[in-house]
Amino acid sequence: MNSPLRLTCDGPLAILTMDSPPLNLFDLAMWDAWEAEVARLSDDPPRALLIRAEGRVVSAGVDVQVFADTDPADAESFWARQLRITQVLEALPCPTVFAAHSLTLTAAFELALACDLIVATGSARFGLVERKVAFTPSMGGTQRLAERAGPARARELVMTGDLYRGSELAEWGVVNALFEPAGFHEAVHAYAMRLATGPSMAHAATKRIVRAYLDGGVSAADAVLASTAAGLVRTEDHRAAVAAFLSEGPEHRTTYLGR
Protein backbone atom coordinates (compact mmCIF):
# COMPACT_ATOMS: atom_id res chain seq x y z
CA MET A 1 0.00 0.00 0.00
CA ASN A 2 1.30 3.44 -0.89
CA SER A 3 1.96 5.79 2.01
CA PRO A 4 -0.36 8.82 2.24
CA LEU A 5 2.71 10.91 3.02
CA ARG A 6 6.06 10.98 1.28
CA LEU A 7 9.34 12.58 2.20
CA THR A 8 11.69 13.69 -0.57
CA CYS A 9 14.68 15.99 -0.72
CA ASP A 10 15.87 18.66 -3.11
CA GLY A 11 19.40 19.20 -1.89
CA PRO A 12 19.17 20.87 1.53
CA LEU A 13 15.38 21.18 1.39
CA ALA A 14 13.19 18.35 2.68
CA ILE A 15 9.69 18.18 1.21
CA LEU A 16 6.86 16.38 3.00
CA THR A 17 3.89 15.83 0.69
CA MET A 18 0.41 14.64 1.63
CA ASP A 19 -0.93 12.53 -1.21
CA SER A 20 -4.00 10.52 -0.25
CA PRO A 21 -6.68 11.34 -2.80
CA PRO A 22 -9.24 12.63 -3.01
CA LEU A 23 -9.26 14.56 0.28
CA ASN A 24 -5.99 13.84 2.14
CA LEU A 25 -8.03 12.82 5.18
CA PHE A 26 -6.40 12.18 8.52
CA ASP A 27 -7.20 8.57 9.20
CA LEU A 28 -5.04 6.15 11.19
CA ALA A 29 -2.75 5.52 8.22
CA MET A 30 -2.16 9.25 7.72
CA TRP A 31 -1.39 9.78 11.40
CA ASP A 32 0.96 6.79 11.48
CA ALA A 33 2.80 8.19 8.46
CA TRP A 34 3.10 11.62 10.07
CA GLU A 35 4.40 10.11 13.29
CA ALA A 36 7.05 8.14 11.43
CA GLU A 37 8.17 11.00 9.20
CA VAL A 38 8.46 13.66 11.89
CA ALA A 39 10.47 11.20 13.99
CA ARG A 40 12.76 10.66 11.01
CA LEU A 41 13.14 14.41 10.51
CA SER A 42 13.84 14.91 14.20
CA ASP A 43 16.60 12.29 14.11
CA ASP A 44 18.17 13.80 10.99
CA PRO A 45 17.01 17.41 10.54
CA PRO A 46 17.25 18.99 7.09
CA ARG A 47 18.31 22.57 6.45
CA ALA A 48 14.63 23.47 5.93
CA LEU A 49 11.31 21.65 5.56
CA LEU A 50 8.48 22.38 3.15
CA ILE A 51 5.10 20.74 3.83
CA ARG A 52 2.69 20.64 0.89
CA ALA A 53 -0.14 18.58 -0.56
CA GLU A 54 -1.16 17.06 -3.85
CA GLY A 55 -4.72 17.25 -5.09
CA ARG A 56 -7.63 19.62 -5.20
CA VAL A 57 -7.52 20.25 -1.44
CA VAL A 58 -4.73 20.33 1.11
CA SER A 59 -6.85 18.29 3.52
CA ALA A 60 -10.50 17.95 4.44
CA GLY A 61 -9.37 17.19 7.98
CA VAL A 62 -9.99 14.21 10.21
CA ASP A 63 -11.86 11.19 8.88
CA VAL A 64 -15.00 11.29 11.04
CA GLN A 65 -14.96 7.49 11.23
CA VAL A 66 -12.00 7.90 13.61
CA PHE A 67 -14.29 9.51 16.19
CA ALA A 68 -16.83 6.74 15.82
CA ASP A 69 -14.16 4.08 16.31
CA THR A 70 -12.31 5.64 19.25
CA ASP A 71 -12.95 3.87 22.55
CA PRO A 72 -13.50 6.53 25.26
CA ALA A 73 -11.15 4.57 27.50
CA ASP A 74 -8.37 5.08 24.94
CA ALA A 75 -9.16 8.68 24.01
CA GLU A 76 -6.58 10.38 26.23
CA SER A 77 -3.67 8.27 25.01
CA PHE A 78 -4.91 8.52 21.40
CA TRP A 79 -4.97 12.31 21.36
CA ALA A 80 -1.75 12.59 23.36
CA ARG A 81 -0.09 10.60 20.59
CA GLN A 82 -1.44 12.91 17.89
CA LEU A 83 -0.44 16.03 19.85
CA ARG A 84 3.08 14.63 20.07
CA ILE A 85 3.30 14.80 16.26
CA THR A 86 2.61 18.53 16.46
CA GLN A 87 5.17 18.99 19.22
CA VAL A 88 7.94 17.11 17.39
CA LEU A 89 7.28 19.09 14.21
CA GLU A 90 7.35 22.34 16.15
CA ALA A 91 10.62 21.42 17.86
CA LEU A 92 12.58 20.81 14.65
CA PRO A 93 15.64 23.09 14.65
CA CYS A 94 15.25 24.05 11.00
CA PRO A 95 12.84 26.53 9.36
CA THR A 96 9.52 24.88 8.53
CA VAL A 97 7.07 26.13 5.89
CA PHE A 98 3.50 24.91 5.40
CA ALA A 99 2.06 25.61 1.94
CA ALA A 100 -1.73 25.75 1.60
CA HIS A 101 -3.04 26.06 -1.94
CA SER A 102 -6.67 25.37 -1.03
CA LEU A 103 -8.95 23.96 1.70
CA THR A 104 -7.02 23.18 4.90
CA LEU A 105 -9.10 21.82 7.77
CA THR A 106 -8.67 20.56 11.34
CA ALA A 107 -5.59 18.33 11.75
CA ALA A 108 -3.83 19.77 8.69
CA PHE A 109 -4.43 23.32 9.89
CA GLU A 110 -3.19 22.38 13.35
CA LEU A 111 0.04 21.04 11.87
CA ALA A 112 0.37 24.21 9.79
CA LEU A 113 0.18 26.22 13.00
CA ALA A 114 3.11 24.21 14.37
CA CYS A 115 5.28 25.42 11.48
CA ASP A 116 7.39 28.56 11.54
CA LEU A 117 5.78 30.01 8.43
CA ILE A 118 2.46 29.47 6.66
CA VAL A 119 2.13 30.47 3.02
CA ALA A 120 -1.09 30.26 1.05
CA THR A 121 -3.14 31.49 -1.83
CA GLY A 122 -5.48 34.33 -0.95
CA SER A 123 -8.46 32.10 -1.72
CA ALA A 124 -7.31 29.09 0.32
CA ARG A 125 -9.76 28.35 3.10
CA PHE A 126 -8.80 27.36 6.63
CA GLY A 127 -10.94 26.04 9.45
CA LEU A 128 -11.00 24.30 12.79
CA VAL A 129 -14.47 22.84 12.41
CA GLU A 130 -14.52 20.27 15.21
CA ARG A 131 -17.69 21.85 16.61
CA LYS A 132 -19.56 19.95 13.89
CA VAL A 133 -18.87 16.75 15.85
CA ALA A 134 -19.11 18.43 19.29
CA PHE A 135 -15.34 18.28 19.72
CA THR A 136 -12.45 20.69 20.10
CA PRO A 137 -9.13 20.79 18.20
CA SER A 138 -6.88 18.29 19.95
CA MET A 139 -3.56 18.53 18.12
CA GLY A 140 -2.72 21.90 19.66
CA GLY A 141 -4.27 24.17 17.06
CA THR A 142 -6.30 26.37 19.40
CA GLN A 143 -3.39 27.47 21.55
CA ARG A 144 -1.05 27.91 18.60
CA LEU A 145 -3.64 30.02 16.83
CA ALA A 146 -3.92 32.10 20.02
CA GLU A 147 -0.13 32.62 19.92
CA ARG A 148 -0.35 33.99 16.40
CA ALA A 149 -3.62 35.90 16.40
CA GLY A 150 -4.60 36.35 20.06
CA PRO A 151 -7.08 34.49 22.25
CA ALA A 152 -10.18 36.32 21.00
CA ARG A 153 -9.47 35.34 17.39
CA ALA A 154 -8.74 31.75 18.44
CA ARG A 155 -12.05 31.50 20.28
CA GLU A 156 -13.86 33.01 17.31
CA LEU A 157 -12.44 30.64 14.75
CA VAL A 158 -12.91 27.50 16.87
CA MET A 159 -16.29 28.34 18.38
CA THR A 160 -17.92 29.43 15.12
CA GLY A 161 -16.34 26.69 13.05
CA ASP A 162 -16.38 29.11 10.11
CA LEU A 163 -13.93 28.99 7.22
CA TYR A 164 -11.47 31.86 6.76
CA ARG A 165 -9.61 32.71 3.58
CA GLY A 166 -5.86 32.95 3.39
CA SER A 167 -6.12 36.67 2.68
CA GLU A 168 -8.03 37.22 5.94
CA LEU A 169 -5.66 35.11 7.99
CA ALA A 170 -2.77 37.08 6.54
CA GLU A 171 -4.36 40.20 8.03
CA TRP A 172 -4.56 38.38 11.38
CA GLY A 173 -0.86 37.48 11.22
CA VAL A 174 -1.55 33.75 10.93
CA VAL A 175 -0.51 33.42 7.28
CA ASN A 176 2.91 34.90 6.56
CA ALA A 177 2.86 35.26 2.79
CA LEU A 178 0.36 35.00 -0.07
CA PHE A 179 1.13 33.67 -3.54
CA GLU A 180 -0.95 33.55 -6.70
CA PRO A 181 -2.60 30.21 -7.52
CA ALA A 182 -0.83 30.08 -10.88
CA GLY A 183 2.66 28.80 -10.17
CA PHE A 184 1.91 28.43 -6.45
CA HIS A 185 3.94 25.27 -5.86
CA GLU A 186 6.95 26.61 -7.75
CA ALA A 187 6.82 29.89 -5.83
CA VAL A 188 6.63 28.26 -2.41
CA HIS A 189 9.39 25.83 -3.33
CA ALA A 190 11.65 28.79 -4.12
CA TYR A 191 10.54 30.49 -0.88
CA ALA A 192 11.49 27.43 1.17
CA MET A 193 14.71 26.85 -0.76
CA ARG A 194 15.85 30.36 0.16
CA LEU A 195 15.63 29.29 3.81
CA ALA A 196 17.30 25.96 3.15
CA THR A 197 20.30 27.61 1.50
CA GLY A 198 20.57 30.32 4.15
CA PRO A 199 22.41 30.43 7.50
CA SER A 200 20.70 27.44 9.10
CA MET A 201 22.59 27.72 12.40
CA ALA A 202 21.36 31.31 12.71
CA HIS A 203 17.82 30.20 11.82
CA ALA A 204 17.96 27.60 14.59
CA ALA A 205 19.12 30.28 17.01
CA THR A 206 16.22 32.52 15.99
CA LYS A 207 13.79 29.66 16.65
CA ARG A 208 15.37 29.08 20.08
CA ILE A 209 14.99 32.75 21.05
CA VAL A 210 11.38 32.99 19.84
CA ARG A 211 10.49 29.80 21.72
CA ALA A 212 12.06 31.17 24.90
CA TYR A 213 9.98 34.32 24.50
CA LEU A 214 6.78 32.34 23.96
CA ASP A 215 7.50 30.17 26.98
CA GLY A 216 8.56 32.89 29.38
CA GLY A 217 8.41 36.37 27.84
CA VAL A 218 11.15 38.86 27.09
CA SER A 219 13.14 38.05 30.23
CA ALA A 220 13.30 34.35 29.30
CA ALA A 221 14.48 35.21 25.79
CA ASP A 222 17.05 37.62 27.21
CA ALA A 223 18.34 34.84 29.47
CA VAL A 224 19.32 32.63 26.53
CA LEU A 225 20.38 35.34 24.10
CA ALA A 226 24.04 35.83 25.08
CA SER A 227 24.86 32.11 25.08
CA THR A 228 22.99 31.64 21.81
CA ALA A 229 24.90 34.48 20.18
CA ALA A 230 28.18 33.11 21.52
CA GLY A 231 27.40 29.76 19.98
CA LEU A 232 26.86 31.38 16.57
CA VAL A 233 30.17 33.24 16.81
CA ARG A 234 31.90 29.86 16.91
CA THR A 235 30.28 28.56 13.72
CA GLU A 236 32.01 28.34 10.35
CA ASP A 237 28.97 29.93 8.72
CA HIS A 238 29.25 33.09 10.80
CA ARG A 239 32.96 33.50 10.22
CA ALA A 240 32.61 32.92 6.47
CA ALA A 241 29.70 35.35 6.17
CA VAL A 242 31.53 38.08 8.07
CA ALA A 243 34.59 37.67 5.88
CA ALA A 244 32.48 37.71 2.71
CA PHE A 245 30.59 40.79 3.85
CA LEU A 246 33.84 42.66 4.48
CA SER A 247 35.33 41.68 1.12
CA GLU A 248 32.24 41.69 -1.13
CA GLY A 249 29.64 43.80 0.65
CA PRO A 250 26.13 43.01 1.93
CA GLU A 251 25.05 41.19 -1.26
CA HIS A 252 27.78 38.56 -0.86
CA ARG A 253 27.10 35.02 -2.04
CA THR A 254 28.20 32.82 0.80
CA THR A 255 27.62 29.09 0.64
CA TYR A 256 26.43 28.11 4.09
CA LEU A 257 27.50 24.73 5.43
CA GLY A 258 25.22 24.45 8.42
CA ARG A 259 28.06 24.31 10.89
Side-chain angles (χ1 to χ4, degrees):
M1 182 180 295
N2 293 332
S3 172
L5 191 66
R6 66 176 181 271
L7 181 63
T8 58
C9 289
D10 181 5
L13 177 64
I15 304 157
L16 197 56
T17 302
M18 289 185 285
D19 190 7
S20 181
L23 298 174
N24 290 323
L25 288 175
F26 276 74
D27 53 14
L28 296 182
M30 179 69 86
W31 268 312
D32 286 347
W34 269 96
E35 184 176 47
E37 295 299 354
V38 297
R40 181 178 169 187
L41 289 163
S42 182
D43 289 340
D44 185 18
R47 297 279 297 277
L49 172 65
L50 171 63
I51 299 172
R52 60 182 298 280
E54 292 286 356
R56 183 172 56 86
V57 304
V58 175
S59 174
V62 177
D63 184 345
V64 175
Q65 189 63 44
V66 170
F67 296 109
D69 293 343
T70 300
D71 186 332
D74 300 329
E76 184 172 353
S77 61
F78 177 85
W79 287 108
R81 181 180 176 187
Q82 313 320 330
L83 176 59
R84 181 63 182 156
I85 296 170
T86 301
Q87 293 168 330
V88 174
L89 174 61
E90 188 173 51
L92 291 176
C94 62
T96 53
V97 180
F98 191 101
H101 64 279
S102 60
L103 185 69
T104 306
L105 297 183
T106 68
F109 189 14
E110 294 187 86
L111 289 169
L113 290 164
C115 292
D116 298 312
L117 302 167
I118 301 174
V119 299
T121 62
S123 59
R125 293 178 298 159
F126 295 81
L128 297 174
V129 297
E130 284 84 350
R131 71 182 297 277
K132 294 182 182 295
V133 290
F135 200 58
T136 195
S138 293
M139 291 183 67
T142 304
Q143 52 269 43
R144 286 164 179 79
L145 182 61
E147 276 186 351
R148 291 174 182 254
R153 290 296 196 187
R155 286 191 290 264
E156 174 192 338
L157 194 146
V158 175
M159 289 180 178
T160 65
D162 289 343
L163 301 185
Y164 294 78
R165 294 197 179 276
S167 55
E168 186 169 9
L169 292 188
E171 294 175 359
W172 290 15
V174 174
V175 167
N176 296 89
L178 297 173
F179 293 96
E180 293 297 323
F184 176 79
H185 290 299
E186 294 78 8
V188 300
H189 188 99
Y191 182 93
M193 184 61 80
R194 180 185 175 192
L195 298 171
T197 55
S200 53
M201 300 296 287
H203 292 330
T206 298
K207 291 188 67 160
R208 192 175 308 123
I209 293 163
V210 172
R211 175 46 51 192
Y213 165 75
L214 291 172
D215 290 343
V218 170
S219 61
D222 285 352
V224 303
L225 183 55
S227 62
T228 300
L232 287 177
V233 167
R234 293 188 285 270
T235 65
E236 292 180 48
D237 281 351
H238 172 70
R239 292 195 298 272
V242 169
F245 189 105
L246 292 174
S247 63
E248 303 171 27
E251 301 305 318
H252 62 87
R253 297 184 176 223
T254 298
T255 299
Y256 295 105
L257 304 174
R259 60 177 187 260

